[in-house]
Amino acid sequence: MSSSGSSVTPSVPTQRLMSVASHLNSPRFKVVVCRNLGPDVMSILEARPGLDLVVWPQDSACERPWLMENISGATGVIVMLTDKVNAELLDKAGPSLKVVSTMSVGYDHIDLKEAAQRGLKVGYTPDVLTDAVADLSVMLALMAGRNGGTGVDLVQRGQWATFSWAPFGLCGPQLSTTAASPTRKIGFLGFGRIAQATLARLVPFGITHCLYFSNPSSLPNHARDAALAKQHKLQGVSKVDLDELSRESDVLFILAPGGGETYHIVNETLLRKMKRTSILVNASRGTLVDSDALAKALREGWIWGAGLDVVEGEPNVTIDHPLVKEPRCVIVPHIASATLETRLEMATRAAQNLIGAILGREMPSEVNLSDIS
């Protein structure tokens, strides 16, 4: 203070020294990033003061030895679906770890019980991939029903010129309604955001009924179902049991979470009840579908075709896999969220989740671990 009571403004050199001192005294947080998230998102992390980034340097899945070597002392880690977060990794990280942020809507690769016991926060990326997965689900239904896999293979192998056209060659069941076939019943195993977005995309095809099976312990939501039926001009939206779902669905979309409760829920018993002209689409988790049972169903003609974005045991799905051998099974390599727009949003959300947890702020998308024991 001067004698007049006014403040004394520090000189420019003093201000610079104060800034440097403040920077030196600010806490530093080690953050491990298991995949370069691109310039738009990495710049978000790089611009945040106090973060010391350790980034897997290769354009490939992060190798486990590298992760185990670098995780020690980290405050946060951004992982992909290919990175297993278990007790071994968390022990190696040590007590400094506060948050695990995954660039995925699923978190089967994270041991939530271990995370809860250690008081960790877990971030994920729901909502942002809803539209992309719904788009691909419809694509798979069309490809499987209209023999798209067989047709593409025929052209790519140079056999179009020698293919013998026939009145019903390469024909399959039509997704849209016709004057002669005016009813279409679409089934959903799981009826969350993605399923409802898929339903909305199917309305222009003239579907007439929506059937769904969800958690048996949850009560039917009659008001919501009536509102959806009115909105989409459907004859009905109904919660049904698995038996009716399998018997009545012209196309059955598998869009439920993974885990023990849904493991192989699509099995031989369910598949045998389906229509011979029905289509099965799985864009959720490979573990929901018994691959051997589905291959048998396709081979013996219990159902017409299948469109899969996920397969149990992926990515170890070789040319000898029973489903790869089935011509009416269209398989793509887990690309449901693979749009430029969606992946950018997912990576951004993963970064935001990590930063929020480290700074003690609200995470945009946090897994609820309160009921995990």
Side-chain angles (χ1 to χ4, degrees):
M1 281 281 200
S2 66
S3 57
S4 63
S6 60
S7 300
V8 177
T9 302
S11 64
V12 172
T14 301
Q15 288 178 336
R16 289 175 177 167
L17 287 172
M18 291 171 64
S19 175
V20 170
S22 175
H23 176 74
L24 292 174
N25 292 330
S26 62
R28 310 293 299 175
F29 303 106
K30 179 181 177 181
V31 170
V32 176
V33 184
C34 291
R35 202 66 181 265
N36 189 303
L37 301 177
D40 292 333
V41 180
M42 293 307 297
S43 62
I44 296 173
L45 296 169
E46 292 163 354
R48 177 62 59 176
L51 297 189
D52 294 326
L53 302 180
V54 181
V55 184
W56 167 245
Q58 305 298 324
D59 187 20
S60 60
C62 178
E63 294 178 359
R64 187 71 172 184
W66 180 92
L67 181 55
M68 292 295 292
E69 179 182 345
N70 286 279
I71 195 66
S72 180
T75 303
V77 58
I78 296 179
V79 299
M80 310 292 121
L81 276 172
T82 50
D83 304 308
K84 192 172 183 62
V85 179
N86 55 12
E88 177 193 39
L89 183 70
L90 298 178
D91 285 342
K92 190 71 173 178
S96 62
L97 191 67
K98 291 183 178 180
V99 57
V100 176
S101 179
T102 181
M103 186 183 151
S104 62
V105 67
Y107 38 81
D108 298 348
H109 55 302
I110 301 173
D111 189 327
L112 297 183
K113 185 175 181 179
E114 286 286 343
Q117 289 176 346
R118 297 165 194 256
L120 302 180
K121 292 182 177 296
V122 176
Y124 69 134
T125 62
D127 303 328
V128 297
L129 47 66
T130 297
D131 290 326
V133 178
D135 289 350
L136 187 102
S137 296
V138 176
M139 182 196 86
L140 287 172
L142 289 166
M143 289 284 287
R146 298 294 297 275
N147 297 301
T150 301
V152 169
D153 182 64
L154 185 148
V155 174
Q156 291 183 340
R157 292 170 60 180
Q159 297 178 350
W160 191 0
T162 57
F163 174 72
S164 179
W165 183 91
F168 293 96
L170 291 180
C171 287
Q174 188 163 314
L175 179 58
S176 57
T177 54
T178 68
S181 180
T183 302
R184 288 292 180 276
K185 296 182 179 181
I186 303 300
F188 294 97
L189 203 164
F191 200 54
R193 292 181 299 267
I194 296 173
Q196 291 176 46
T198 304
L199 171 63
R201 284 157 172 75
L202 293 168
V203 170
F205 288 90
I207 65 169
T208 53
H209 299 76
C210 169
L211 311 174
Y212 69 90
F213 173 86
S214 59
N215 191 329
S217 63
S218 63
L219 296 174
N221 190 335
H222 296 299
R224 180 206 59 190
D225 294 350
L228 284 172
K230 182 178 180 180
Q231 175 187 350
H232 297 312
K233 296 181 174 61
L234 303 177
Q235 293 181 29
V237 174
S238 307
K239 182 177 182 180
V240 299
D241 58 26
L242 276 177
D243 184 71
E244 183 174 352
L245 186 77
S246 55
R247 282 189 293 103
E248 297 295 328
S249 298
D250 293 303
V251 182
L252 177 54
F253 292 90
I254 312 302
L255 293 167
E261 293 183 359
T262 56
Y263 178 75
H264 284 191
I265 192 170
V266 178
N267 53 23
E268 183 168 329
T269 301
L270 184 150
L271 290 163
R272 282 189 178 276
K273 295 175 183 176
M274 294 180 68
K275 301 176 183 180
R276 295 179 68 86
T277 55
S278 63
I279 304 297
L280 181 82
V281 173
N282 186 10
S284 54
R285 289 288 177 267
T287 54
L288 275 73
V289 177
D290 181 337
S291 293
D292 290 331
L294 178 57
K296 185 177 181 181
L298 292 165
R299 186 168 58 252
E300 298 185 4
W302 309 346
I303 66 173
W304 183 269
L308 309 177
D309 181 53
V310 289
V311 178
E312 186 175 12
E314 64 182 64
N316 300 314
V317 180
T318 66
I319 195 169
D320 295 323
H321 192 283
L323 288 173
V324 175
K325 293 180 179 180
E326 291 303 318
R328 288 186 179 173
C329 187
V330 176
I331 305 175
V332 294
H334 205 149
I335 59 170
S337 67
T339 69
L340 298 173
E341 296 84 355
T342 296
R343 289 289 172 85
L344 178 57
E345 287 190 67
M346 291 173 67
T348 302
R349 181 69 59 86
Q352 292 170 338
N353 283 334
L354 177 127
I355 293 170
I358 288 178
L359 298 182
R361 300 172 183 170
E362 183 177 354
M363 298 167 65
S365 301
E366 181 178 358
V367 179
N368 182 7
L369 300 181
S370 60
D371 296 330
I372 304 295
S373 60

